């Protein structure tokens, strides 16, 4: 089993304006990449309450609201902020190289 981490190019930075997000799949895992005012962030796009598509919800600042039952998460840390979710979503480092958005993936 290969557990080495690597940076994967997932999008062009110019395609994701500030305040928006993109959902993609890495090894069949749904990941949401966010471009916020102060940088880039990535989380699992699977709500820890009941598997909802978190990134389809409303985004205010760094807080995303799951569209299914309203749990909120901090996009920067993955922390669950509002019931019914009590566990954080996983986060992933993101960097931009030139116009390439890259996610660190293992
Ligand atoms: S599935 Fe996200 S709040 Fe229930």
């Amino acid at each position: 089993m290969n557990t080495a981490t690597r940076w994967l190019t997932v999008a062009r930075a110019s395609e994701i304006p500030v305040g928006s997000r993109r959902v993609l799949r890495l090894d069949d895992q749904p990941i949401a990449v966010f471009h916020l005012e102060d940088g880039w962030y990535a989380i699992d796009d699977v709500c820890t309450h009941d598997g909802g598509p978190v990134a389809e919800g409303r985004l205010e600042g760094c807080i995303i609201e799951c569209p299914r039952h309203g749990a909120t998460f901090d996009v920067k840390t993955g922390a669950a902020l509002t019931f019914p979710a009590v566990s954080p979503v996983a986060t992933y480092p993101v960097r931009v190289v030139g116009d390439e958005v890259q996610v660190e993936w293992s």
Side-chain angles (χ1 to χ4, degrees):
M1 183 169 86
N2 182 3
T3 58
T5 61
R6 60 205 193 275
W7 290 97
L8 299 179
T9 298
V10 297
R12 297 212 169 280
S14 54
E15 296 171 346
I16 308 176
V18 172
S20 64
R21 74 218 72 169
R22 166 148 321 162
V23 176
L24 50 109
R25 294 183 91 84
L26 294 178
D27 292 337
D28 252 359
Q29 173 68 38
I31 304 293
V33 176
F34 295 83
H35 187 186
L36 303 184
E37 292 278 352
D38 65 350
W40 295 81
Y41 302 89
I43 63 171
D44 273 343
D45 189 30
V46 180
C47 183
T48 57
H49 171 238
D50 195 28
V54 179
E56 290 181 14
R58 190 166 47 100
L59 178 66
E60 276 193 34
C62 65
I63 309 301
I64 188 81
E65 180 181 67
C66 179
R68 206 170 274 174
H69 310 106
T72 58
F73 297 89
D74 186 324
V75 166
K76 296 182 179 181
T77 65
L81 304 174
T82 308
F83 202 72
V86 293
S87 300
V89 289
T91 61
Y92 304 94
V94 181
R95 72 181 184 186
V96 175
V97 179
D99 191 40
E100 295 186 353
V101 180
Q102 298 180 335
V103 173
E104 189 175 34
W105 188 251
S106 58

XYZ file of all heavy atoms in Angstrom:
815
model
N 0.842 -1.194 0.000
C 0.000 0.000 0.000
C 0.880 1.248 0.000
O 1.804 1.365 0.784
C -0.915 -0.030 1.225
C -1.871 1.129 1.255
S -3.147 0.915 2.528
C -2.309 1.586 3.945
N 0.581 2.174 -0.895
C 1.349 3.408 -0.981
C 0.661 4.491 -0.156
O -0.450 4.900 -0.463
C 1.465 3.835 -2.445
C 2.288 5.087 -2.589
O 2.820 5.600 -1.614
N 2.397 5.571 -3.815
N 1.309 4.959 0.896
C 0.699 5.979 1.750
C 1.378 7.329 1.595
O 1.133 8.234 2.379
C 0.749 5.547 3.223
O 2.100 5.322 3.582
C -0.095 4.306 3.461
N 2.251 7.464 0.591
C 2.950 8.730 0.391
C 1.965 9.820 0.004
O 1.019 9.581 -0.742
C 4.005 8.563 -0.700
N 2.193 11.020 0.522
C 1.342 12.142 0.142
C 1.906 12.770 -1.126
O 3.097 12.703 -1.397
C 1.263 13.196 1.254
O 2.568 13.685 1.498
C 0.665 12.614 2.509
N 1.031 13.395 -1.889
C 1.451 14.075 -3.100
C 0.492 15.219 -3.366
O -0.647 15.216 -2.897
C 1.498 13.112 -4.270
C 0.164 12.470 -4.586
C 0.348 11.147 -5.298
N -0.872 10.636 -5.886
C -1.782 9.911 -5.220
N -1.644 9.659 -3.929
N -2.855 9.461 -5.840
N 0.977 16.196 -4.120
C 0.138 17.334 -4.485
C -0.515 17.041 -5.820
O 0.180 16.804 -6.813
C 0.979 18.607 -4.574
C 1.465 19.079 -3.238
C 2.682 18.849 -2.665
C 0.735 19.862 -2.294
N 2.750 19.438 -1.431
C 1.575 20.075 -1.173
C -0.548 20.414 -2.285
C 1.164 20.808 -0.055
C -0.955 21.155 -1.173
C -0.102 21.335 -0.083
N -1.832 17.048 -5.838
C -2.584 16.780 -7.068
C -3.210 18.069 -7.567
O -3.852 18.801 -6.803
C -3.696 15.762 -6.801
C -3.258 14.382 -6.322
C -4.485 13.501 -6.093
C -2.307 13.734 -7.311
N -3.032 18.351 -8.833
C -3.686 19.506 -9.446
C -5.149 19.156 -9.673
O -5.466 18.144 -10.308
C -3.007 19.870 -10.776
O -1.644 20.232 -10.495
C -3.722 21.032 -11.453
N -6.040 20.005 -9.130
C -7.475 19.703 -9.186
C -8.285 20.731 -9.970
O -9.433 20.470 -10.316
C -8.063 19.566 -7.762
C -7.418 18.399 -7.025
C -7.908 20.857 -6.968
N -7.686 21.900 -10.231
C -8.435 22.936 -10.949
C -7.484 24.062 -11.324
O -6.347 24.107 -10.845
C -9.554 23.498 -10.069
N -7.974 24.948 -12.159
C -7.251 26.189 -12.439
C -7.779 27.251 -11.479
O -8.994 27.396 -11.310
C -7.485 26.634 -13.872
C -6.965 25.631 -14.887
C -6.474 26.325 -16.154
N -5.754 25.394 -17.003
C -4.483 25.039 -16.813
N -3.797 25.542 -15.810
N -3.901 24.179 -17.608
N -6.884 27.982 -10.867
C -7.282 28.996 -9.889
C -8.219 30.023 -10.518
O -9.166 30.491 -9.879
C -6.042 29.679 -9.313
N -7.978 30.356 -11.766
C -8.785 31.378 -12.435
C -10.227 30.926 -12.650
O -11.101 31.743 -12.933
C -8.149 31.749 -13.776
O -7.949 30.586 -14.564
N -10.490 29.637 -12.474
C -11.845 29.123 -12.668
C -12.679 29.154 -11.379
O -13.874 28.856 -11.404
C -11.794 27.675 -13.165
C -11.140 27.519 -14.530
C -10.910 26.062 -14.901
O -11.009 25.179 -14.017
O -10.619 25.815 -16.075
N -12.028 29.475 -10.241
C -12.741 29.447 -8.955
C -12.557 30.812 -8.287
O -11.589 31.039 -7.558
C -12.212 28.322 -8.042
C -12.205 26.980 -8.794
C -13.061 28.216 -6.779
C -11.598 25.831 -8.004
N -13.472 31.746 -8.534
C -13.331 33.090 -7.952
C -13.482 33.071 -6.427
O -14.029 32.119 -5.851
C -14.478 33.877 -8.590
C -15.176 32.978 -9.525
C -14.645 31.590 -9.367
N -13.029 34.133 -5.801
C -13.187 34.278 -4.353
C -14.661 34.155 -3.989
O -15.531 34.728 -4.639
C -12.645 35.647 -3.882
C -12.991 35.881 -2.410
C -11.147 35.730 -4.094
N -14.933 33.372 -2.943
C -16.301 33.180 -2.477
C -16.994 31.986 -3.094
O -18.154 31.725 -2.805
N -16.268 31.261 -3.952
C -16.901 30.107 -4.590
C -16.167 28.820 -4.239
O -15.167 28.836 -3.517
C -16.969 30.296 -6.106
O -15.669 30.347 -6.645
N -16.675 27.747 -4.726
C -16.140 26.431 -4.394
C -16.263 25.503 -5.579
O -17.046 25.755 -6.489
C -16.893 25.840 -3.214
C -18.272 25.373 -3.660
C -19.382 25.587 -2.702
N -19.793 26.950 -2.560
C -20.898 27.338 -1.930
N -21.695 26.462 -1.392
N -21.224 28.592 -1.819
N -15.533 24.418 -5.516
C -15.644 23.386 -6.547
C -15.618 22.031 -5.868
O -14.805 21.793 -4.975
C -14.499 23.499 -7.536
C -14.418 22.249 -8.387
C -13.944 22.397 -9.775
N -14.355 23.543 -10.524
C -13.711 23.930 -11.624
N -12.660 23.273 -12.038
N -14.134 24.976 -12.296
N -16.507 21.141 -6.297
C -16.525 19.781 -5.775
C -15.875 18.859 -6.799
O -16.129 18.976 -7.999
C -17.971 19.320 -5.490
C -17.995 17.865 -5.035
C -18.605 20.219 -4.430
N -15.024 17.969 -6.328
C -14.339 17.026 -7.202
C -14.182 15.711 -6.451
O -14.540 15.610 -5.273
C -12.970 17.597 -7.608
C -12.133 18.092 -6.441
C -10.963 17.194 -6.200
C -11.729 19.527 -6.671
N -13.660 14.724 -7.137
C -13.457 13.422 -6.490
C -11.990 13.049 -6.582
O -11.390 13.146 -7.655
C -14.314 12.350 -7.159
C -15.795 12.572 -6.979
C -16.616 11.460 -7.586
N -16.890 10.401 -6.636
C -17.883 10.419 -5.759
N -18.683 11.454 -5.694
N -18.071 9.421 -4.929
N -11.439 12.632 -5.463
C -10.077 12.108 -5.430
C -10.167 10.696 -4.868
O -10.625 10.504 -3.735
C -9.171 12.980 -4.553
C -8.922 14.405 -5.057
C -8.051 15.177 -4.066
C -8.281 14.395 -6.435
N -9.735 9.717 -5.661
C -9.862 8.313 -5.252
C -11.285 8.016 -4.791
O -11.500 7.358 -3.773
C -8.865 7.965 -4.141
C -7.433 7.997 -4.642
O -7.226 7.842 -5.857
O -6.535 8.182 -3.807
N -12.263 8.546 -5.498
C -13.683 8.334 -5.214
C -14.191 9.057 -3.975
O -15.335 8.875 -3.569
C -14.014 6.839 -5.097
C -14.800 6.366 -6.312
O -15.080 7.205 -7.194
O -15.151 5.188 -6.360
N -13.353 9.864 -3.350
C -13.783 10.640 -2.188
C -14.220 12.027 -2.659
O -13.432 12.733 -3.298
C -12.617 10.781 -1.197
C -12.895 11.706 -0.020
C -13.944 11.148 0.920
O -13.984 9.953 1.176
N -14.803 12.015 1.416
N -15.452 12.453 -2.368
C -15.850 13.811 -2.739
C -15.134 14.840 -1.863
O -15.170 14.757 -0.629
C -17.363 13.844 -2.476
C -17.758 12.452 -2.153
C -16.540 11.709 -1.739
N -14.491 15.789 -2.524
C -13.736 16.848 -1.856
C -14.278 18.190 -2.340
O -14.569 18.341 -3.521
C -12.237 16.783 -2.228
C -11.654 15.407 -1.913
C -11.439 17.886 -1.549
C -11.582 15.079 -0.458
N -14.405 19.141 -1.440
C -14.814 20.486 -1.828
C -13.645 21.432 -1.601
O -13.085 21.478 -0.497
C -16.028 20.937 -1.025
N -13.288 22.170 -2.634
C -12.214 23.164 -2.555
C -12.862 24.543 -2.544
O -13.687 24.856 -3.405
C -11.259 23.033 -3.750
C -10.206 24.134 -3.717
C -10.596 21.654 -3.755
N -12.487 25.355 -1.555
C -13.061 26.686 -1.382
C -11.994 27.751 -1.611
O -10.866 27.620 -1.131
C -13.601 26.864 0.052
C -14.747 25.966 0.375
C -14.535 24.659 0.772
C -16.053 26.434 0.286
C -15.595 23.818 1.088
C -17.123 25.604 0.586
C -16.894 24.304 0.989
N -12.393 28.809 -2.299
C -11.528 29.979 -2.445
C -12.143 31.098 -1.612
O -13.142 31.705 -2.010
C -11.433 30.392 -3.921
C -10.447 31.468 -4.176
N -10.293 32.062 -5.403
C -9.529 32.054 -3.362
C -9.345 32.974 -5.333
N -8.877 32.995 -4.095
N -11.559 31.341 -0.445
C -12.055 32.383 0.451
C -11.187 33.632 0.310
O -10.147 33.618 -0.350
C -12.029 31.893 1.905
C -12.811 30.602 2.192
C -12.784 30.308 3.686
C -14.239 30.684 1.666
N -11.623 34.701 0.958
C -10.892 35.971 0.890
C -9.428 35.804 1.269
O -8.555 36.432 0.689
C -11.531 36.998 1.849
C -12.902 37.462 1.451
C -12.873 38.570 0.412
O -11.780 39.075 0.120
O -13.947 38.894 -0.115
N -9.173 34.952 2.258
C -7.808 34.846 2.767
C -7.082 33.578 2.325
O -6.027 33.253 2.869
C -7.803 34.942 4.294
C -8.513 33.765 4.942
O -9.164 32.988 4.216
O -8.391 33.611 6.165
N -7.628 32.861 1.370
C -6.884 31.707 0.887
C -7.764 30.572 0.406
O -8.965 30.737 0.183
N -7.127 29.432 0.296
C -7.758 28.236 -0.279
C -7.859 27.159 0.785
O -6.924 26.954 1.571
C -6.915 27.725 -1.437
C -6.854 28.662 -2.595
C -6.047 29.770 -2.720
C -7.630 28.606 -3.790
N -6.282 30.389 -3.915
C -7.240 29.697 -4.598
C -8.611 27.734 -4.259
C -7.817 29.924 -5.851
C -9.171 27.966 -5.504
C -8.772 29.049 -6.284
N -8.962 26.411 0.766
C -9.202 25.377 1.771
C -9.905 24.194 1.101
O -10.613 24.368 0.102
C -10.058 25.929 2.914
C -9.427 27.124 3.575
C -9.665 28.413 3.118
C -8.526 26.953 4.624
C -9.038 29.510 3.691
C -7.897 28.045 5.205
C -8.158 29.318 4.726
O -7.524 30.390 5.293
N -9.736 23.023 1.689
C -10.420 21.845 1.147
C -10.915 20.977 2.299
O -10.226 20.805 3.315
C -9.484 21.037 0.251
N -12.122 20.451 2.129
C -12.729 19.569 3.126
C -13.371 18.383 2.421
O -13.655 18.442 1.218
C -13.809 20.284 3.975
C -14.979 20.740 3.082
C -13.213 21.438 4.753
C -16.184 21.252 3.862
N -13.627 17.328 3.172
C -14.465 16.250 2.662
C -15.857 16.818 2.394
O -16.410 17.531 3.241
C -14.599 15.130 3.708
C -13.481 14.117 3.619
O -12.778 14.068 2.587
O -13.309 13.362 4.596
N -16.414 16.470 1.245
C -17.767 16.939 0.933
C -18.797 15.901 1.355
O -19.693 15.534 0.588
C -17.886 17.256 -0.564
C -19.209 17.944 -0.880
O -19.735 18.653 0.001
O -19.713 17.757 -1.999
N -18.634 15.428 2.576
C -19.548 14.420 3.127
C -19.849 14.834 4.568
O -18.972 14.803 5.438
C -18.921 13.017 3.106
C -19.892 12.000 3.690
C -18.509 12.621 1.691
N -21.088 15.223 4.818
C -21.459 15.680 6.152
C -21.295 14.549 7.169
O -21.691 13.404 6.907
C -22.906 16.166 6.138
S -23.458 16.838 7.709
N -20.732 14.883 8.322
C -20.520 13.864 9.349
C -21.809 13.532 10.096
O -21.814 12.616 10.916
C -19.439 14.314 10.342
O -19.828 15.576 10.911
C -18.091 14.434 9.663
N -22.886 14.260 9.816
C -24.162 13.890 10.433
C -24.781 12.709 9.705
O -25.013 11.658 10.296
C -25.136 15.074 10.455
C -26.509 14.662 10.870
N -27.618 14.855 10.090
C -26.940 14.016 11.990
C -28.678 14.359 10.708
N -28.295 13.861 11.864
N -25.028 12.882 8.384
C -25.712 11.809 7.656
C -25.299 11.762 6.199
O -26.100 11.382 5.349
C -27.226 11.984 7.786
C -27.993 10.728 7.375
O -27.431 9.623 7.500
O -29.125 10.859 6.897
N -24.078 12.187 5.908
C -23.539 12.024 4.564
C -23.988 13.046 3.540
O -23.793 12.838 2.342
N -24.568 14.138 3.961
C -25.049 15.156 3.012
C -23.912 15.828 2.261
O -22.766 15.846 2.706
N -24.254 16.413 1.096
C -23.255 17.117 0.268
C -23.017 18.528 0.799
O -23.605 19.500 0.327
C -23.912 17.120 -1.110
C -25.385 17.155 -0.811
C -25.588 16.388 0.468
N -22.157 18.638 1.782
C -21.951 19.887 2.524
C -21.759 21.092 1.598
O -22.355 22.146 1.804
C -20.729 19.751 3.456
C -20.486 21.042 4.207
C -20.933 18.605 4.428
N -20.938 20.930 0.585
C -20.554 22.077 -0.241
C -21.680 22.614 -1.108
O -21.540 23.669 -1.720
C -19.359 21.718 -1.110
N -22.802 21.914 -1.155
C -23.951 22.450 -1.891
C -24.711 23.472 -1.060
O -25.669 24.085 -1.537
C -24.892 21.306 -2.306
C -24.303 20.412 -3.372
C -25.247 19.301 -3.792
O -26.449 19.363 -3.464
O -24.770 18.360 -4.440
N -24.303 23.638 0.183
C -25.020 24.535 1.076
C -24.573 25.976 0.970
O -23.700 26.340 0.184
N -25.171 26.798 1.825
C -24.894 28.230 1.849
C -23.547 28.490 2.513
O -23.239 27.921 3.563
C -26.014 28.927 2.639
C -26.020 30.427 2.562
C -27.353 30.965 3.089
N -27.731 30.348 4.357
C -27.557 30.934 5.545
N -27.042 32.137 5.612
N -27.935 30.322 6.646
N -22.754 29.381 1.915
C -21.434 29.737 2.449
C -21.466 31.179 2.922
O -21.830 32.083 2.170
C -20.370 29.571 1.350
C -18.939 29.953 1.710
C -18.366 29.008 2.770
C -18.060 29.953 0.460
N -21.112 31.397 4.194
C -20.993 32.753 4.734
C -19.638 32.870 5.394
O -19.387 32.216 6.425
C -22.084 33.028 5.770
C -23.385 33.480 5.144
C -24.345 34.057 6.185
O -23.863 34.681 7.149
O -25.541 33.849 6.015
N -18.773 33.681 4.807
C -17.403 33.753 5.311
C -16.753 32.400 5.168
O -16.662 31.866 4.061
N -16.336 31.835 6.297
C -15.707 30.506 6.236
C -16.646 29.419 6.754
O -16.208 28.304 7.022
C -14.399 30.518 7.015
S -14.589 30.776 8.781
N -17.929 29.738 6.894
C -18.884 28.778 7.443
C -19.782 28.236 6.328
O -20.448 28.996 5.628
C -19.771 29.432 8.534
C -18.915 30.148 9.574
C -20.674 28.376 9.179
C -17.921 29.276 10.291
N -19.806 26.918 6.214
C -20.662 26.262 5.228
C -21.777 25.521 5.970
O -21.539 24.921 7.019
C -19.851 25.296 4.331
C -20.694 24.773 3.181
C -19.239 24.154 5.117
C -20.803 25.722 2.026
N -22.987 25.634 5.422
C -24.153 25.006 6.046
C -24.606 23.819 5.212
O -24.930 23.977 4.027
C -25.296 26.017 6.166
C -26.542 25.441 6.806
C -27.646 26.475 6.891
O -28.151 26.890 5.829
O -27.999 26.865 8.003
N -24.655 22.654 5.812
C -25.113 21.462 5.096
C -26.566 21.669 4.668
O -27.417 22.034 5.484
C -24.999 20.219 5.982
S -25.579 18.712 5.157
N -26.863 21.435 3.384
C -28.221 21.692 2.901
C -29.243 20.674 3.396
O -30.443 20.890 3.261
C -28.064 21.598 1.368
C -26.900 20.699 1.164
C -25.972 20.952 2.328
N -28.764 19.599 3.989
C -29.716 18.541 4.352
C -30.427 18.830 5.676
O -31.644 18.838 5.737
C -29.001 17.201 4.397
C -29.959 16.070 4.131
C -29.294 14.747 3.926
N -28.875 14.536 2.553
C -28.162 13.483 2.173
N -27.765 12.596 3.050
N -27.840 13.348 0.922
N -29.680 19.098 6.746
C -30.331 19.351 8.043
C -29.772 20.578 8.760
O -30.062 20.796 9.930
C -30.207 18.139 8.975
C -30.608 16.842 8.352
N -29.706 15.891 7.979
C -31.830 16.383 8.017
C -30.350 14.862 7.432
N -31.634 15.144 7.439
N -28.923 21.340 8.080
C -28.500 22.621 8.622
C -27.280 22.643 9.507
O -26.968 23.693 10.083
N -26.564 21.549 9.646
C -25.319 21.589 10.418
C -24.345 22.536 9.733
O -24.342 22.660 8.503
C -24.705 20.191 10.511
N -23.523 23.213 10.523
C -22.531 24.103 9.931
C -21.131 23.635 10.309
O -20.909 23.047 11.376
C -22.724 25.566 10.372
O -22.644 25.643 11.798
C -24.059 26.112 9.897
N -20.205 23.937 9.400
C -18.806 23.563 9.573
C -17.916 24.751 9.225
O -18.239 25.545 8.340
C -18.430 22.403 8.634
C -19.189 21.135 8.907
C -20.410 20.900 8.276
C -18.696 20.181 9.778
C -21.124 19.731 8.516
C -19.403 19.005 10.027
C -20.616 18.783 9.393
N -16.786 24.825 9.911
C -15.767 25.811 9.573
C -14.912 25.227 8.459
O -14.235 24.215 8.654
C -14.912 26.116 10.808
C -13.930 27.251 10.564
O -13.404 27.359 9.435
O -13.663 28.004 11.515
N -14.946 25.867 7.307
C -14.207 25.381 6.146
C -12.699 25.348 6.419
O -11.980 24.503 5.890
C -14.529 26.288 4.935
C -13.554 26.071 3.802
C -15.962 26.064 4.471
N -12.219 26.250 7.260
C -10.772 26.338 7.514
C -10.267 25.211 8.402
O -9.150 24.732 8.237
C -10.430 27.684 8.164
C -10.710 28.870 7.274
C -10.295 30.147 7.983
C -10.556 31.353 7.094
N -10.132 32.613 7.759
N -11.092 24.806 9.354
C -10.629 23.811 10.330
C -11.374 22.483 10.230
O -10.931 21.484 10.798
C -10.812 24.334 11.761
O -12.221 24.478 12.023
C -10.123 25.678 11.947
N -12.516 22.490 9.578
C -13.356 21.304 9.502
C -14.258 21.140 10.719
O -15.094 20.234 10.759
N -14.127 22.010 11.702
C -14.877 21.864 12.951
C -16.383 21.898 12.718
O -16.883 22.721 11.948
C -14.485 22.973 13.932
N -17.093 20.997 13.398
C -18.552 21.030 13.393
C -18.984 22.101 14.381
O -18.606 22.071 15.550
C -19.107 19.667 13.790
N -19.795 23.052 13.910
C -20.176 24.195 14.740
C -21.614 24.129 15.216
O -21.964 24.779 16.196
C -19.964 25.500 13.949
C -18.556 25.730 13.390
C -18.538 26.977 12.526
C -17.546 25.836 14.528
N -22.452 23.404 14.488
C -23.882 23.402 14.783
C -24.433 21.993 14.723
O -24.146 21.249 13.788
C -24.638 24.275 13.743
O -24.031 25.548 13.678
C -26.092 24.444 14.135
N -25.231 21.644 15.700
C -25.975 20.398 15.705
C -26.831 20.333 14.437
O -27.282 21.385 13.980
C -26.856 20.373 16.963
C -27.259 19.010 17.387
C -26.348 18.145 17.962
C -28.554 18.580 17.170
C -26.738 16.874 18.349
C -28.943 17.319 17.540
C -28.036 16.466 18.136
N -27.091 19.184 13.817
C -26.889 17.851 14.373
C -25.516 17.233 14.119
O -25.299 16.100 14.540
C -27.980 17.038 13.677
C -28.142 17.687 12.356
C -27.945 19.152 12.611
N -24.602 17.898 13.444
C -23.265 17.321 13.287
C -22.450 17.603 14.545
O -22.500 18.712 15.090
C -22.565 17.913 12.073
N -21.724 16.615 15.009
C -20.888 16.804 16.202
C -19.431 16.462 15.920
O -18.563 16.759 16.734
C -21.404 15.960 17.388
C -22.758 16.464 17.846
C -21.477 14.488 17.029
N -19.162 15.832 14.776
C -17.788 15.473 14.431
C -17.302 16.342 13.278
O -18.077 16.693 12.388
C -17.705 14.003 13.997
O -18.129 13.160 15.040
N -16.014 16.680 13.278
C -15.483 17.518 12.199
C -15.415 16.760 10.879
O -15.389 15.525 10.855
C -14.075 17.866 12.693
C -13.701 16.740 13.597
C -14.981 16.296 14.252
N -15.382 17.526 9.786
C -15.060 16.939 8.489
C -13.549 17.034 8.303
O -12.898 17.940 8.840
C -15.773 17.660 7.315
C -17.250 17.359 7.322
C -15.510 19.150 7.332
N -12.998 16.106 7.537
C -11.554 16.129 7.274
C -11.193 17.339 6.420
O -11.996 17.784 5.589
C -11.138 14.847 6.559
N -10.019 17.869 6.654
C -9.505 18.979 5.852
C -8.229 18.537 5.145
O -7.566 17.583 5.588
C -9.196 20.213 6.724
O -8.189 19.854 7.681
C -10.434 20.702 7.445
N -7.898 19.252 4.085
C -6.705 18.934 3.303
C -5.953 20.217 2.979
O -6.583 21.225 2.649
C -7.098 18.228 1.995
C -7.921 16.989 2.239
C -9.316 17.057 2.223
C -7.324 15.775 2.515
C -10.081 15.924 2.478
C -8.078 14.641 2.773
C -9.460 14.728 2.745
O -10.215 13.621 3.006
N -4.630 20.171 3.030
C -3.849 21.354 2.623
C -4.067 21.656 1.138
O -4.192 20.737 0.320
C -2.404 20.928 2.888
C -2.492 19.817 3.882
C -3.772 19.097 3.544
N -4.116 22.941 0.824
C -4.277 23.400 -0.557
C -3.177 24.417 -0.833
O -2.832 25.229 0.034
C -5.652 24.080 -0.768
C -5.808 24.522 -2.221
C -6.779 23.139 -0.371
N -2.622 24.376 -2.037
C -1.677 25.406 -2.473
C -1.988 25.756 -3.915
O -2.640 24.989 -4.637
C -0.235 24.916 -2.324
C 0.170 23.862 -3.336
C 1.600 23.388 -3.132
N 1.996 22.435 -4.165
C 3.158 21.779 -4.168
N 4.029 21.945 -3.182
N 3.450 20.955 -5.163
N -1.527 26.939 -4.311
C -1.694 27.370 -5.688
C -0.307 27.584 -6.271
O 0.519 28.320 -5.702
C -2.529 28.662 -5.774
C -2.593 29.154 -7.218
C -3.937 28.399 -5.247
N -0.041 26.913 -7.364
C 1.240 27.028 -8.063
C 0.935 27.551 -9.452
O 0.311 26.848 -10.257
C 1.961 25.662 -8.132
C 3.271 25.805 -8.892
C 2.188 25.098 -6.734
N 1.344 28.786 -9.711
C 0.934 29.408 -10.970
C -0.578 29.529 -10.976
O -1.150 30.157 -10.077
N -1.226 28.898 -11.929
C -2.693 28.922 -11.986
C -3.273 27.565 -11.574
O -4.460 27.319 -11.751
C -3.153 29.283 -13.411
C -4.643 29.573 -13.472
O -5.178 30.220 -12.528
O -5.295 29.144 -14.440
N -2.434 26.707 -11.017
C -2.908 25.370 -10.649
C -3.253 25.295 -9.171
O -2.413 25.622 -8.311
C -1.853 24.307 -10.965
C -1.579 24.166 -12.441
C -0.626 23.010 -12.735
O -0.090 22.412 -11.772
O -0.424 22.715 -13.921
N -4.466 24.868 -8.869
C -4.866 24.609 -7.481
C -4.509 23.160 -7.186
O -4.912 22.249 -7.927
C -6.381 24.827 -7.293
C -6.773 24.558 -5.842
C -6.764 26.228 -7.717
N -3.760 22.960 -6.113
C -3.301 21.611 -5.790
C -3.728 21.244 -4.373
O -3.669 22.055 -3.459
C -1.774 21.522 -5.907
C -1.299 21.815 -7.320
C 0.215 21.720 -7.453
O 0.946 21.879 -6.483
N 0.685 21.450 -8.667
N -4.162 20.008 -4.204
C -4.564 19.464 -2.913
C -3.565 18.391 -2.514
O -3.194 17.542 -3.343
C -5.988 18.863 -2.991
C -6.350 18.140 -1.701
C -7.004 19.970 -3.277
N -3.134 18.432 -1.263
C -2.227 17.392 -0.767
C -3.053 16.154 -0.447
O -4.001 16.224 0.352
C -1.461 17.863 0.466
C -0.370 16.889 0.854
C 0.475 17.410 2.006
O -0.079 18.105 2.886
O 1.676 17.142 2.024
N -2.694 15.061 -1.042
C -3.510 13.853 -0.976
C -2.637 12.657 -0.697
O -1.515 12.567 -1.193
C -4.235 13.693 -2.319
C -5.260 12.609 -2.349
C -5.183 11.426 -3.004
C -6.521 12.615 -1.677
N -6.316 10.693 -2.784
C -7.156 11.403 -1.974
C -7.168 13.548 -0.852
C -8.405 11.096 -1.465
C -8.407 13.227 -0.354
C -9.015 12.013 -0.661
N -3.110 11.725 0.106
C -2.323 10.521 0.368
C -3.140 9.288 0.059
O -4.353 9.341 -0.055
C -1.859 10.477 1.807
O -2.961 10.520 2.688
S -26.593 15.334 6.600
Fe -25.703 17.269 7.004
S -26.864 18.054 8.652
Fe -27.699 16.079 8.298
